[in-house]
Amino acid sequence: MCGIVAYIGNKPAYPILIKGLRRLEYRGYDSAGIAIMNGDLNIYKIKGKVDDLENFVAGKDVQGTMGIGHTRWATHGEPNNINAHPHLSGNGRLAIIHNGIIENYNTLKEILIKNGHSFSSETDTEVLVHFIEEIQNKYELSLEEAVRKALSSVIGAYAIVIIDKDDPNKIVAARKGSPLVVGLGDDEFFLASDATPIVEYTKKVIYLNDEEIVSIDRNNFEIRTIANIPRTPEIKEVDIEVEALEKGGFDHFMLKEIYQQPDSVSDGMRGRLNAAEGWIKLGGIEEFEERFKKAKRLIIVACGTSWHAGLIAEYLIEELARLPVEVEYASEFRYRNPILGEEDVVIALSQSGETADTIAALELAKFKGALIYGIVNVVGSSISRLTNAGSYIHAGPEIGVASTKAFTGQLTLLTLIALYLGKSRGMLGKSQYQKMLYELQEIPDKIRQVLKQNDQIKYIAGEMKDTNNAIYLGRGFNFPIALEGALKLKEISYIHAEGYPAAEMKHGPIALIDEKMPVVVIATNKNAYEKVVSNVQEIKARKGIVIAIVAEGDTVIKDLADFCIEIPETADPLSPLLSVIPLQLLSYHIAVMRGCNVDQPRNLAKSVTVE
Ligand code: G6P
């Protein structure tokens, strides 16, 4: 989605803005632009990447110590130079950047047109800045007063940053529904969609809350609500090192993140699991132990890859804790008038903690009295602040748009939760519990072993790269991994792929199988192994190409399949943590071989802040 960065201080703004926009590149975008105050307002914007913007700006005037920068992910109007941000007010005084959607922009536009305004872009953002201008002129208000008054008539979601040529020492920013972070340096301030562009300058940040407006001059800042109530800011320390935002010698962030998984899974368990002493500690759940105990079911809401982690949690929690679980697409859940009450616990899964649909689902659940629990990766994100309790994944920044280490981080936590609840609900025998703790503790090393097969996986990728379609099959705990494997391939290589429960193949997808169809079968299950063998035979009987993920030492499927990737033995409930790794690598290599932009796949965004 859109990325926002802004600077006010005593250093040249341009390099900070460009570097900041690069840090935000991972969010996904189609155009980029900046406005720098230097007596006059210099605005440069262009369809394309930050590189295109830099080339366009080369040799032009970028002097100034205050400015705003934006990467746009188109909602209203196609990606082109005119629709790119920043947008100017009619009188050329105000420049704005915006993330989100102004829902009543049409109504506002009609009023403004009647008052003589004309618009050059198709965006809701240009309407907003004209509206602020209208109010500023009509009531002779300062910039922050005009923004406050205008926003009280605005319906929708926004993070905005706005500057005024006639007030060249001030930046005003506001948020509702879209994230915005203020960075506090020494006599300098930063604003950004997330902390990544800020951390190399300062670790002190304020996460703005909904309906808050911050007004910053060169020495000071003030936060007030749209209703003009002053707010005492809560200053937080961000724990992100700059190295975590670099590729660190890897060709792509996605590859780096795949390879980080032994460590990120281990970080997710640190201080939460001790097999030798036989305990799991999960602060968030312990705090609401009674609510979890009373819950008749858990409802998991999520989108995309996080939703797949939720599906595995359904298998995990029902198997290990015998507690019913429902898994919902957040976007469907919120609009279908779900039956919810105080006895329910709703768990949101989200890497970014900013996904608009997931936030809306949680707000609904909160409104209906359910306990809301968040499992997120980004510290300080909206979901982490909205929920009653939660657990961070601690996977570190995930920059590749296609989620990898955040997914295994979510699975790690969900496994811990399933085991914790299994024990506290008396559903797991002591020895079974103990055995699972040891097995879980060994997972990071086993991921390391899977990664050693990269060359074999790359070879298989070479064989698969020219296909137009692929089918992924799995059973039980590995059915959602089939969905996730197919999603990874679609997202980054643009190959059409579908995941199915293996047994469902005969109810439709089998019609697609011929000698050109690669079928990736996750065949590590001890439970129902024979059934998977039959599925593989059915595919081979129709000349399909079988790529099988099998447990070490497998001989039966190895004989049948065209290609095999072995993963270490583990307990069935933990096998998704291993079986997903080769599928991530497979997609990665195929995408690279097809010349795709792995880290920033077309049309996708890392953090989906619009509904
Ligand atoms: C986007 C991303 C996916 C991600 C999904 C949910 O679509 O491209 O990789 O799985 O959002 O994001 P979340 O941050 O809520 O996990």
Side-chain angles (χ1 to χ4, degrees):
M1 296 278 117
C2 305
I4 280 179
V5 60
Y7 175 76
I8 177 167
N10 39 36
K11 296 192 192 116
Y14 178 69
I16 294 172
L17 296 180
I18 285 290
K19 198 163 190 189
L21 291 180
R22 283 205 193 288
R23 291 270 186 242
L24 293 171
E25 279 192 304
Y26 78 100
R27 294 169 72 92
Y29 64 98
D30 45 54
S31 24
I34 49 167
I36 300 189
M37 187 82 76
N38 186 24
D40 210 350
L41 259 176
N42 287 318
I43 297 194
Y44 309 105
K45 51 185 194 168
I46 193 155
K47 177 185 168 182
K49 298 281 177 194
V50 177
D51 277 347
D52 299 308
L53 177 66
E54 265 205 291
N55 291 337
F56 177 63
V57 168
K60 302 195 170 89
D61 179 7
V62 289
Q63 302 296 310
T65 52
M66 173 174 126
I68 56 181
H70 188 262
T71 48
R72 173 172 188 251
W73 189 87
T75 58
H76 295 63
E78 64 171 290
N80 61 28
N81 296 353
I82 294 172
N83 289 332
H85 298 209
H87 287 284
L88 275 177
S89 57
N91 58 9
R93 245 182 84 176
L94 310 179
I96 194 172
I97 52 177
H98 167 219
N99 174 14
I101 292 178
I102 305 300
E103 286 169 16
N104 61 337
Y105 87 105
N106 255 328
T107 319
L108 298 175
K109 194 170 185 174
E110 277 166 26
I111 300 167
L112 290 166
I113 288 172
K114 274 192 200 131
N115 291 352
H117 290 255
S118 62
F119 298 91
S120 54
S121 80
E122 301 153 87
T123 65
D124 51 342
T125 308
E126 193 185 10
V127 173
L128 179 59
V129 70
H130 278 241
F131 185 53
I132 295 170
E133 170 196 1
E134 173 92 357
I135 286 183
Q136 189 178 34
N137 288 344
K138 188 166 169 191
Y139 300 100
E140 294 181 11
L141 298 176
S142 68
L143 180 62
E144 64 268 37
E145 286 165 347
V147 168
R148 192 178 308 126
K149 193 161 175 60
L151 291 181
S152 61
S153 305
V154 161
I155 300 169
Y158 50 78
I160 56 165
V161 185
I162 183 163
I163 52 181
D164 180 348
K165 203 164 63 170
D166 290 0
D167 198 351
N169 293 310
K170 189 182 285 168
I171 288 190
V172 173
R175 89 155 253 178
K176 185 180 175 196
S178 294
L180 202 55
V181 185
V182 186
L184 310 174
D186 292 336
D187 292 331
E188 59 182 0
F189 297 89
F190 306 81
L191 284 152
S193 300
D194 62 46
T196 54
I198 297 176
V199 288
E200 56 202 282
Y201 309 104
T202 176
K203 295 276 191 305
K204 273 195 228 151
V205 299
I206 297 163
Y207 296 98
L208 280 193
N209 293 308
D210 276 351
E211 309 215 343
E212 283 182 352
I213 301 173
V214 61
S215 169
I216 305 172
D217 64 27
R218 289 185 191 272
N219 309 309
N220 228 327
F221 71 98
E222 188 187 27
I223 299 175
R224 286 177 175 266
T225 64
I226 290 178
N228 206 12
I229 299 163
R231 281 279 164 88
T232 311
E234 211 184 316
I235 300 172
K236 304 246 181 195
E237 287 274 324
V238 260
D239 183 22
I240 301 176
E241 294 308 323
V242 177
E243 301 80 68
L245 308 173
E246 313 274 352
K247 285 187 198 145
F250 286 89
D251 287 343
H252 297 95
F253 281 109
M254 183 179 178
L255 190 62
K256 176 188 172 191
E257 285 152 10
I258 291 172
Y259 270 85
Q260 280 179 322
Q261 291 175 108
D263 292 332
S264 55
V265 166
S266 179
D267 289 345
M269 296 194 282
R270 182 160 303 122
R272 290 170 168 159
L273 165 72
N274 188 322
E277 292 175 16
W279 54 254
I280 289 176
K281 284 200 175 91
L282 288 165
I285 293 196
E286 280 157 28
E287 196 185 333
F288 288 92
E289 185 100 43
E290 281 313 304
R291 293 289 293 271
F292 273 90
K293 269 201 179 134
K294 264 200 254 151
K296 296 214 164 40
R297 59 176 180 164
L298 299 183
I299 299 163
I300 296 179
V301 292
C303 304
T305 289
S306 296
W307 184 78
H308 294 155
L311 272 192
I312 297 171
E314 180 177 8
Y315 284 83
L316 282 167
I317 295 169
E318 294 200 349
E319 167 80 20
L320 301 172
R322 308 304 298 150
L323 179 62
V325 177
E326 288 169 27
V327 188
E328 303 266 359
Y329 283 115
S331 53
E332 287 297 314
F333 180 74
R334 57 168 306 203
Y335 282 119
R336 68 170 178 75
N337 195 10
I339 301 162
L340 266 175
E342 285 171 15
E343 292 201 333
D344 290 313
V345 174
V346 175
I347 299 180
L349 299 180
S350 175
Q351 186 288 129
S352 62
E354 300 293 350
T355 303
D357 286 318
T358 311
I359 292 175
L362 274 185
E363 277 166 347
L364 175 72
K366 194 174 197 175
F367 175 74
K368 298 217 174 194
L371 174 75
I372 58 171
Y373 195 89
I375 296 183
V376 303
N377 194 32
V378 177
V379 176
S381 55
S382 300
I383 290 180
S384 72
R385 288 177 297 126
L386 173 71
T387 41
N388 301 108
S391 311
Y392 283 119
I393 296 164
H394 294 309
E398 188 179 70
I399 311 288
V401 165
S403 186
T404 53
K405 64 172 178 172
F407 176 74
T408 46
Q410 289 167 337
L411 283 189
T412 306
L413 256 169
L414 291 162
T415 309
L416 288 171
I417 290 175
L419 289 167
Y420 181 95
L421 293 177
K423 185 168 181 237
S424 69
R425 290 167 55 83
M427 296 297 166
L428 274 179
K430 201 173 171 207
S431 66
Q432 195 192 355
Y433 176 73
Q434 192 65 41
K435 187 169 173 287
M436 291 294 285
L437 296 200
Y438 275 112
E439 289 268 9
L440 186 53
Q441 208 162 261
E442 283 173 13
I443 287 290
D445 273 341
K446 291 184 176 174
I447 296 178
R448 250 177 227 115
Q449 288 177 45
V450 180
L451 292 170
K452 286 191 184 140
Q453 298 193 58
N454 184 43
D455 288 347
Q456 158 74 351
I457 297 167
K458 194 170 175 182
Y459 172 77
I460 300 171
E463 297 292 305
M464 237 179 114
K465 72 176 188 335
D466 295 321
T467 188
N468 291 324
N469 298 288
I471 295 176
Y472 285 67
L473 302 176
R475 291 185 89 107
F477 292 100
N478 281 305
F479 154 55
I481 293 298
L483 298 181
E484 174 58 10
L487 179 65
K488 282 284 92 74
L489 190 68
K490 269 186 277 212
E491 282 179 310
I492 59 170
S493 74
Y494 319 137
I495 293 173
H496 173 236
E498 297 298 336
Y500 281 96
E504 274 294 302
M505 182 180 69
K506 54 189 174 292
H507 298 296
I510 200 165
L512 300 171
I513 293 178
D514 61 14
E515 68 284 357
K516 288 198 211 102
M517 179 63 87
V519 185
V520 180
V521 184
I522 303 133
T524 58
N525 306 46
K526 297 185 188 72
N527 192 4
Y529 176 78
E530 298 304 332
K531 309 264 182 219
V532 181
V533 173
S534 305
N535 296 139
V536 172
Q537 268 158 342
E538 286 155 15
I539 302 162
K540 283 318 300 172
R542 285 153 188 90
K543 300 195 167 50
I545 307 157
V546 173
I547 297 118
I549 315 291
V550 295
E552 230 165 32
D554 183 296
T555 49
V556 181
I557 292 183
K558 251 185 161 171
D559 279 349
L560 293 170
D562 297 82
F563 305 100
C564 261
I565 303 161
E566 283 194 1
I567 63 170
E569 278 276 354
T570 187
D572 267 358
L574 307 185
S575 64
L577 279 163
L578 302 180
S579 57
V580 75
I581 311 287
L583 303 188
Q584 296 169 344
L585 281 170
L586 191 64
S587 306
Y588 170 78
H589 289 302
I590 291 174
V592 172
M593 287 171 191
R594 288 167 71 99
C596 301
N597 185 342
V598 173
D599 284 334
Q600 293 164 39
R602 71 180 179 210
N603 303 338
L604 295 181
K606 182 78 188 155
S607 178
V608 181
T609 51
V610 297
E611 286 178 39

